[in-house]
Amino acid sequence: MNARYDGLAEWYDEFNAQGAAGNAPELADLLGPGDGLCLDLGCGTGQYLDVIRSTGRTVVGLDRSADQLRLARRRDPAPLLQGDGHTLPFRDQVFGTVTALWVSTDIPDFAALTKEAARVLRPGGLLLFYGVHPCFNGPHIENRGDGAVIIHPTYRRAGWHPKSPWWREGGIRDRFGMSHVPLPDLVNAFIDAGLVIERMTEPRDHPVPVALAVRAIRPA
């Protein structure tokens, strides 16, 4: 898997700073108080490490991009590893919590990632997914100036989209492309990994939700 963000880490960190700060209170609320080890899977430049730690957990970050990890190491003292989320470098049942934040759009196989996350979770452990809402945020979505949203038939086209005619020029998707995971594929990834979905929410006060959160538990 290519590290698509290598060479653009500074740009991404600045671009995402305001959004990460805005997401932080919701993320802390979704996690709730906890303890033990938490793997932040796809930690990027480390913008969520501190808020995870604030819930009482001991956070460990992993990302494919050495360039993003370079900035994360400047930002946070947490242990940070370079690795592939599809083949995690950890033994079974190590973590009490795994967070997968805004990763579904940047990896080729979300189902494989979810199975790996479930593998390293302890029985009773929590997997929190917080990321792109596949129904209202993706290559099939055209946002109009009046606030209306047009959903195009490309919603059905799962997988990698290098370009979309509706992406803002110079924006994150225009630069990086994205992997689209339709809603059934996303939900079934948790089920097929043997996890029990505890709760789904659409975070943010927004008329058309751009984000989706899933809390899933590995059965005890």
Side-chain angles (χ1 to χ4, degrees), residues 92-159:
D92 296 354
Q93 302 182 20
V94 175
F95 297 96
T97 308
V98 175
T99 54
L101 312 176
W102 303 99
V103 297
S104 63
T105 55
D106 295 313
I107 59 172
D109 193 339
F110 182 73
L113 182 97
T114 308
K115 285 180 180 178
E116 274 291 273
R119 179 183 67 78
V120 301
L121 269 179
R122 292 176 178 172
L126 166 68
L127 171 60
L128 177 66
F129 167 81
Y130 184 109
V132 163
H133 197 308
C135 296
F136 307 112
N137 189 352
H140 55 292
I141 292 298
E142 180 180 357
N143 292 295
R144 295 196 336 191
D146 61 359
V149 172
I150 300 173
I151 303 175
H152 291 270
T154 44
Y155 170 77
R156 294 288 184 187
R157 211 180 90 209

Side-chain angles (χ1 to χ4, degrees), residues 170-188:
I172 186 168
R173 294 305 162 208
D174 186 56
R175 287 172 180 259
F176 296 108
M178 71 176 290
S179 181
H180 173 54
V181 186
L183 184 61
D185 295 351
L186 189 143
V187 173
N188 287 332

Side-chain angles (χ1 to χ4, degrees), residues 11-145:
W11 177 89
Y12 171 79
D13 191 64
E14 182 178 353
F15 171 88
N16 198 54
Q18 184 176 357
N23 295 333
E26 288 176 336
L27 176 59
D29 185 59
L30 287 163
L31 279 168
D35 55 21
L37 289 175
C38 174
L39 173 63
D40 186 18
L41 185 52
C43 66
T45 61
Q47 292 174 325
Y48 293 108
L49 297 172
D50 191 55
V51 67
I52 296 170
R53 185 183 296 108
S54 74
T55 67
R57 295 167 170 88
T58 300
V59 65
V60 176
L62 181 138
D63 202 274
R64 181 68 179 82
S65 170
D67 200 23
Q68 294 226 76
L69 288 172
R70 173 177 56 84
L71 297 189
R73 291 188 177 104
R74 294 179 186 174
R75 169 176 279 122
D76 197 278
L80 300 171
L81 295 85
Q82 184 180 11
D84 187 342
H86 298 86
T87 54
L88 292 174
F90 306 107
R91 67 180 185 271
D92 296 354
Q93 302 182 20
V94 175
F95 297 96
T97 308
V98 175
T99 54
L101 312 176
W102 303 99
V103 297
S104 63
T105 55
D106 295 313
I107 59 172
D109 193 339
F110 182 73
L113 182 97
T114 308
K115 285 180 180 178
E116 274 291 273
R119 179 183 67 78
V120 301
L121 269 179
R122 292 176 178 172
L126 166 68
L127 171 60
L128 177 66
F129 167 81
Y130 184 109
V132 163
H133 197 308
C135 296
F136 307 112
N137 189 352
H140 55 292
I141 292 298
E142 180 180 357
N143 292 295
R144 295 196 336 191

